[in-house]
């Protein structure tokens, strides 16, 4: 520790003012702001990362960061703040927290973690900003959607058609006892024609 005092001559008299009887530099740290903040936004999340400069390795491992982000056209006074629990110089924002088609700006600052007893610091100044915008989810083509719908409907429709044909065959066999052998092949042929037509639609 150090003893910090101020000395001056006032009206011809020397005076000494003790500012800090015991001053410990490790308890009064102010770090430089983070550098090189960058971002990459997708349809599901936004990744933001940065670097720190002029920070000893034993402090870099116990840093905490605060992220601040807002809509680009809004004031920083209405920005959202997040104090990050990890000492890693990166963070992810879920897409659900961002509005589609809106540009955002983000910045970050750092200090020694409050859980650390050996060192103490105040927040650094804010970093430069990075600008990002959420990517919209591509819409499924209407043609692909219709094809998949037909595929899902093909099996139950075919099964229902088969049941109807069997029922018609049974009724026809009762009505036309004289020629039962001609009815079922005719209905089976119609069922095969229906399947071929349906497969042609799917293609």
């Amino acid at each position: 520790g150090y003893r910090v005092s101020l000395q001056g001559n006032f009206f011809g008299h020397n005076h000494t003012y003790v500012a800090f009887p015991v001053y410990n530099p490790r308890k009064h740290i102010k770090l430089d702001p983070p550098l090189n903040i960058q971002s990459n936004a997708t349809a599901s999340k936004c990744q933001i990362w940065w670097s720190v400069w002029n920070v000893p390795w034993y402090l870099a491992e116990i840093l905490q960061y605060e992220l601040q982000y807002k809509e680009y056209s809004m004031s920083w006074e209405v920005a959202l703040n997040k104090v990050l629990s990890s000492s890693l110089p990166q963070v992810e924002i879920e897409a659900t927290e961002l509005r589609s088609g809106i540009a955002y700006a983000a910045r970050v600052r750092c200090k020694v973690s409050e859980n650390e007893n050996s060192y103490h610091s105040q927040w650094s100044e804010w970093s430069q900003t990075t600008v990002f915008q959420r990517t919209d989810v591509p819409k499924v083509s209407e043609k692909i959607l219709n094809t998949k719908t037909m595929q899902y409907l093909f099996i139950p429709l075919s099964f229902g058609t088969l049941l109807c044909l069997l029922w018609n065959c049974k009724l026809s066999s009762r009505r036309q006892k004289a020629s039962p052998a001609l009815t079922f092949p005719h209905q089976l042929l119609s069922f095969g024609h229906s399947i071929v037509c349906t497969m042609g639609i799917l293609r």
Side-chain angles (χ1 to χ4, degrees), residues 45-181:
K45 60 186 176 182
C46 175
Q47 296 177 315
I48 303 175
W49 64 95
W50 56 88
S51 59
V52 290
W53 178 79
N54 200 24
V55 177
W57 63 268
Y58 51 85
L59 288 182
E61 296 179 350
I62 57 175
L63 292 183
Q64 69 177 126
Y65 299 95
E66 182 178 17
L67 174 73
Q68 190 176 59
Y69 66 99
K70 66 177 183 69
E71 294 184 15
Y72 186 79
S73 60
M74 305 294 288
S75 169
W76 285 110
E77 296 179 355
V78 297
L80 297 175
N81 290 61
K82 286 187 176 184
V83 177
L84 311 181
S85 58
S86 173
S87 61
L88 297 177
Q90 61 186 33
V91 66
E92 289 185 355
I93 302 176
E94 296 297 329
T96 54
E97 302 180 41
L98 306 174
R99 295 172 58 190
S100 177
I102 300 296
Y104 286 82
R107 60 186 184 179
V108 68
R109 62 181 180 175
C110 63
K111 73 172 184 176
V112 175
S113 173
E114 295 179 355
N115 298 325
E116 180 60 39
N117 296 323
S118 300
Y119 300 90
H120 181 76
S121 73
Q122 58 180 303
W123 284 111
S124 70
E125 300 298 328
W126 288 104
S127 69
Q128 298 295 320
T129 60
T130 181
V131 179
F132 57 90
Q133 182 173 330
R134 190 184 82 178
T135 304
D136 292 333
V137 179
K139 295 182 179 180
V140 180
S141 172
E142 183 178 355
K143 181 178 181 180
I144 297 177
L145 183 61
N146 291 337
T147 302
K148 288 186 175 296
T149 302
M150 291 299 298
Q151 290 176 349
Y152 292 140
L153 293 177
F154 173 72
I155 295 178
L157 286 176
S158 300
F159 184 72
T161 304
L162 179 61
L163 290 178
C164 291
L165 290 177
L166 293 177
W167 179 257
N168 289 334
C169 289
K170 186 175 181 181
L171 293 178
S172 299
S173 62
R174 291 180 179 178
R175 295 175 181 176
Q176 300 178 4
K177 295 182 179 180
S179 56

